[in-house]
Amino acid sequence: MPSLILSVDAMGGDAAPQVVLDGLQVFAARRPEITFLVHGRAEELTAGIEARGLSERCQIMHHEDVVSMSDKPSTAMRRAKGTSMWGAVQSVKSGEAGAAVSAGNTGALMAFSMLALRKMEGVHRPAMTALWPNAKGRAIVLDVGANLDADCDQLVTFAIMGEAYARAVTGKTKPTIGLLNIGSEEGKGRDTLKLAAERLRNPALGLDFKGYVEGNDIALGVVDVVVTDGFTGNVALKTAEGTARLVGVYLREAFSSGLASRLGAILASPGLKRLRAKMDPSQANGGVLLGLNGVVVKSHGGADAEGYATALALAADLAGSRYMEEVASGLARASVEDDDVSEAAQ
Amino acid sequence: MPSLILSVDAMGGDAAPQVVLDGLQVFAARRPEITFLVHGRAEELTAGIEARGLSERCQIMHHEDVVSMSDKPSTAMRRAKGTSMWGAVQSVKSGEAGAAVSAGNTGALMAFSMLALRKMEGVHRPAMTALWPNAKGRAIVLDVGANLDADCDQLVTFAIMGEAYARAVTGKTKPTIGLLNIGSEEGKGRDTLKLAAERLRNPALGLDFKGYVEGNDIALGVVDVVVTDGFTGNVALKTAEGTARLVGVYLREAFSSGLASRLGAILASPGLKRLRAKMDPSQANGGVLLGLNGVVVKSHGGADAEGYATALALAADLAGSRYMEEVASGLARASVEDDDVSEAAQ
């Protein structure tokens, strides 16, 4: 069995490279078969990699430059070459690595990935995914911001890509799919959604499409894959994050108000620890820009070591899966089905 | 001072008329100057009103029919006359009541309100509001589903209406306004939003416009009024509700796992009680279809007595405010500013 190699942008993220190396250490212990190409400034990486006992598993790829978190994608593009982020993506393009991970500037990473890896045949618009914790584990939501809008074709493509992705990273053999709308009844919502729902229901596509879902269905876990346009998906994701954070603030207030409450918190700590684990954003870390000829995972810039390890696990699961072939055959089925529709319309 | 009269659809809601009458009782005790026109089946209402000691404060308006929660708006429209919901709205139209409240079928209530009250001059699309609990109290979000989309003019109208509404119900003299987008930097997002932002920045409008806000800013309380199209607003609202509910489920699990956790919950109960109060959906109950010649408040169908009382308080605050005049003068300013823009473009 050929062992998997992952490419890592060690300089991307709020606390890079320390947290990146910490995440590598956590993940490397769990997956002993995987080795790493670590992109960044050699002088900032060598000692840290040695100290973590990872010298045997990591090959340092030196790059002098770093994309800053505040660079606009256009600025980053002009000086892409020579940066650790560019190097990490190039390792995927060249085939040296099975997938890349970066916690750096999102816009720049999307731009670099598009430029280096190009879109898969049949994909007009790549889509960004989010892992979304829900009552049954976690769902995939896409697009969460790679695009501002999505037409019917694009929504169908998102569904095909999201389903293959969910199979690779959740282990479900037949993930269910829902289309995000403002009502679950047929006939509700924008025309684009009605057209997309009609196409997704076509058995020729081979998808387990459950129809429309509403905002509250995401957390309930009604479906495994929630398909929407990038504007709506981004607003929904950030709204959920804001809501969870607000409840967290309320919770801390509740347990710091008086001696009895504090004692209660100590007694209830095993349950509260589980609650924290369930709400832990590190379990949901990692977005993937689907639809490119290669896998690049975006870690949250503020992710901790555990979160970074989650992003690395996503990259490994995708790289070791049949995701690319499945998307290609799904898109081929959609294109045949599309021709049938056009012929029938003539 | 003329006392205020509110019109109530006693038959609308999941547990009507009992919960409606319970809510009336809670609210009537808080606002002794207000009296009520109670629309519904007299034989189902008389005893309940007497039992709650409200006979002096309530006048029963008999209607034989009831709009069911599952009726489509078109079905409800055909048999509108003779229903308690229609009667409740008509009392506003005739001027007998200052505002109406119903916990019945949302689609039917919007249709009846539009038909009976008509749109205010200058309003092309009414917008539905939500009260949104946040770190600083509560914000107003609109539109949360009266429309599927909103163009630039409509977003500007929503901002004007939302600001006047926020002043009436939150007591703030100069509510701040944000436009929901997927990034807070200028130049981000859809063209419609860029155009609307430009117009909202015009000092002639007299609004305290803070620019773009993102999904997570709603719960943070960054602004008092969040303006968006009905599709995005509805998805965001339901996503937040789903997230809060999921965290609630996790919390209950955390406190029922083992004896120590349960004891901890008892000790921490004052803090937890405050937490529950903050997350209590009854505090956020009540949506208003803004932009009509009259005030109709939609209570959640499943609201409890306290929630229904919140909706009644909204109706009273609006009816007793200068909201209608303020919207009219705001729209007039927007229309002048609009002419200026057209002239400048010529």
Side-chain angles (χ1 to χ4, degrees):
Chain A
M1 189 181 104
S3 65
L4 180 63
I5 299 172
L6 293 180
S7 162
V8 173
D9 168 16
M11 311 309 284
D14 299 342
Q18 277 67 38
V19 167
V20 173
L21 297 181
D22 289 343
L24 258 181
Q25 188 177 21
V26 169
F27 179 71
R30 289 178 194 157
R31 300 287 290 268
E33 79 284 12
I34 297 178
T35 56
F36 308 91
L37 298 177
V38 184
H39 295 263
R41 290 193 188 116
E43 64 275 24
E44 292 186 43
L45 298 173
T46 311
I49 287 174
E50 268 178 25
R52 288 170 182 83
L54 294 172
S55 303
E56 298 285 301
R57 310 270 302 271
C58 294
Q59 183 181 342
I60 297 176
M61 313 290 277
H62 178 73
H63 305 272
E64 199 50 44
D65 282 352
V66 172
V67 175
S68 99
M69 296 303 265
S70 57
D71 277 349
K72 287 196 173 172
S74 52
T75 315
M77 282 297 267
R78 275 197 294 276
R79 49 184 204 79
K81 284 169 195 175
T83 66
S84 58
M85 184 186 280
W86 180 256
V89 173
Q90 284 297 322
S91 293
V92 176
K93 190 191 177 185
S94 66
E96 293 165 271
V101 176
S102 174
N105 185 317
T106 309
L109 186 63
M110 291 205 287
F112 288 11
S113 303
M114 298 264 280
L115 184 68
L117 302 173
R118 304 278 161 185
K119 291 180 280 192
M120 288 180 72
E121 207 182 313
V123 174
H124 296 285
R125 300 270 200 91
M128 181 59 88
T129 64
L131 286 177
W132 194 300
N134 66 22
K136 296 176 183 168
R138 50 191 198 176
I140 309 296
V141 180
L142 78 165
D143 177 18
V144 293
N147 311 282
L148 286 173
D149 275 297
D151 66 18
C152 174
D153 272 352
Q154 286 151 10
L155 290 171
V156 171
T157 304
F158 295 174
I160 291 166
M161 298 193 301
E163 196 237 14
Y165 174 67
R167 185 160 31 243
V169 302
T170 68
K172 297 197 178 173
T173 51
K174 197 72 191 169
T176 55
I177 297 167
L179 200 53
L180 190 58
N181 199 347
I182 64 172
S184 51
E185 310 84 13
E186 271 191 61
K188 273 260 182 179
R190 294 170 172 165
D191 288 341
T192 313
L193 292 175
K194 293 179 203 167
L195 291 170
E198 209 179 299
R199 287 194 50 200
L200 290 169
R201 275 194 198 95
N202 188 333
L205 277 186
L207 299 172
D208 191 2
F209 178 60
K210 299 294 188 193
Y212 298 135
V213 293
E214 297 186 70
N216 48 322
D217 295 329
I218 310 177
L220 276 176
V222 168
V223 291
D224 300 314
V225 180
V226 177
V227 174
T228 187
D229 67 90
F231 188 92
T232 308
N234 187 278
V235 168
L237 179 66
K238 288 179 181 161
T239 300
E241 287 171 353
T243 306
R245 207 169 308 136
L246 181 63
V247 176
V249 169
Y250 287 166
L251 251 179
R252 273 187 295 279
E253 281 174 14
F255 282 114
S256 54
S257 56
L259 194 63
S261 287
R262 266 178 240 156
L263 184 59
I266 293 167
L267 282 169
S269 61
L272 287 174
K273 210 170 151 188
R274 273 194 300 276
L275 171 69
R276 255 196 302 277
K278 278 178 178 165
M279 290 179 67
D280 181 1
S282 77
Q283 299 300 315
N285 185 44
V288 184
L289 191 62
L290 298 182
L292 303 181
N293 293 303
V295 174
V296 176
V297 176
K298 168 71 177 83
S299 163
H300 197 285
D304 61 9
E306 195 57 53
Y308 204 88
T310 303
L312 287 164
L314 274 187
D317 288 346
L318 267 181
S321 77
R322 297 189 60 253
Y323 152 76
M324 301 283 277
E325 298 94 299
E326 288 179 7
V327 171
S329 64
L331 291 174
R333 279 195 297 277
S335 132
V336 170
E337 166 253 0
D338 214 12
D339 291 346
D340 289 351
V341 173
S342 330
E343 276 166 31
Q346 274 166 12
Chain B
M1 188 180 103
S3 65
L4 180 64
I5 300 173
L6 294 180
S7 162
V8 173
D9 168 16
M11 312 308 284
D14 300 342
Q18 277 68 36
V19 168
V20 173
L21 297 181
D22 289 343
L24 260 182
Q25 188 178 21
V26 169
F27 179 72
R30 290 179 193 156
R31 301 286 290 266
E33 80 284 12
I34 298 178
T35 57
F36 309 92
L37 299 176
V38 184
H39 296 262
R41 290 193 187 116
E43 64 274 24
E44 293 186 42
L45 297 173
T46 312
I49 286 174
E50 269 177 24
R52 290 172 181 82
L54 295 171
S55 305
E56 299 285 302
R57 310 270 301 272
C58 295
Q59 183 181 344
I60 296 176
M61 313 290 278
H62 178 75
H63 306 271
E64 199 50 44
D65 283 350
V66 172
V67 176
S68 100
M69 295 303 265
S70 58
D71 277 349
K72 286 195 175 174
S74 52
T75 315
M77 283 295 269
R78 275 196 295 276
R79 51 184 204 76
K81 282 167 198 177
T83 65
S84 58
M85 185 187 279
W86 182 256
V89 173
Q90 284 297 321
S91 293
V92 176
K93 189 190 180 184
S94 66
E96 293 165 272
V101 177
S102 173
N105 185 316
T106 309
L109 186 63
M110 290 206 285
F112 288 11
S113 303
M114 296 264 280
L115 184 67
L117 301 173
R118 304 276 163 187
K119 290 179 282 193
M120 289 180 72
E121 207 183 313
V123 174
H124 297 284
R125 302 270 199 87
M128 180 60 87
T129 64
L131 286 178
W132 194 300
N134 65 23
K136 296 177 184 168
R138 49 192 198 176
I140 309 297
V141 181
L142 79 165
D143 177 20
V144 293
N147 311 283
L148 286 174
D149 276 296
D151 65 19
C152 173
D153 273 351
Q154 286 151 10
L155 290 170
V156 171
T157 304
F158 294 174
I160 291 166
M161 298 193 301
E163 196 238 13
Y165 174 67
R167 186 162 27 245
V169 303
T170 69
K172 298 198 177 174
T173 50
K174 197 74 191 168
T176 55
I177 296 167
L179 200 53
L180 190 58
N181 199 346
I182 64 171
S184 52
E185 309 84 12
E186 271 192 61
K188 273 259 183 180
R190 294 170 172 163
D191 288 340
T192 312
L193 292 175
K194 292 179 205 169
L195 290 170
E198 208 179 300
R199 286 195 50 202
L200 290 169
R201 274 193 200 97
N202 188 332
L205 277 185
L207 298 172
D208 190 2
F209 177 60
K210 299 293 189 192
Y212 298 136
V213 293
E214 299 186 69
N216 48 323
D217 296 328
I218 310 176
L220 275 176
V222 169
V223 290
D224 299 315
V225 180
V226 177
V227 174
T228 186
D229 66 90
F231 188 91
T232 308
N234 187 279
V235 167
L237 179 65
K238 288 180 180 161
T239 299
E241 286 171 353
T243 306
R245 207 171 306 135
L246 181 63
V247 177
V249 169
Y250 288 166
L251 252 182
R252 274 187 294 280
E253 281 174 14
F255 283 113
S256 54
S257 55
L259 194 63
S261 287
R262 265 177 241 155
L263 185 59
I266 293 168
L267 283 169
S269 60
L272 287 174
K273 210 171 151 189
R274 273 194 300 276
L275 171 69
R276 256 196 301 276
K278 278 179 176 164
M279 290 180 66
D280 182 0
S282 77
Q283 299 300 316
N285 185 43
V288 184
L289 192 61
L290 299 182
L292 304 181
N293 294 302
V295 174
V296 177
V297 177
K298 168 72 177 82
S299 163
H300 197 285
D304 61 9
E306 195 56 53
Y308 203 88
T310 302
L312 287 164
L314 273 188
D317 287 346
L318 266 182
S321 78
R322 297 190 61 252
Y323 152 76
M324 301 283 278
E325 297 96 299
E326 287 180 7
V327 171
S329 64
L331 291 174
R333 278 195 297 275
S335 133
V336 171
E337 166 254 358
D338 215 12
D339 292 345
D340 290 349
V341 173
S342 330
E343 276 167 32
Q346 276 166 11

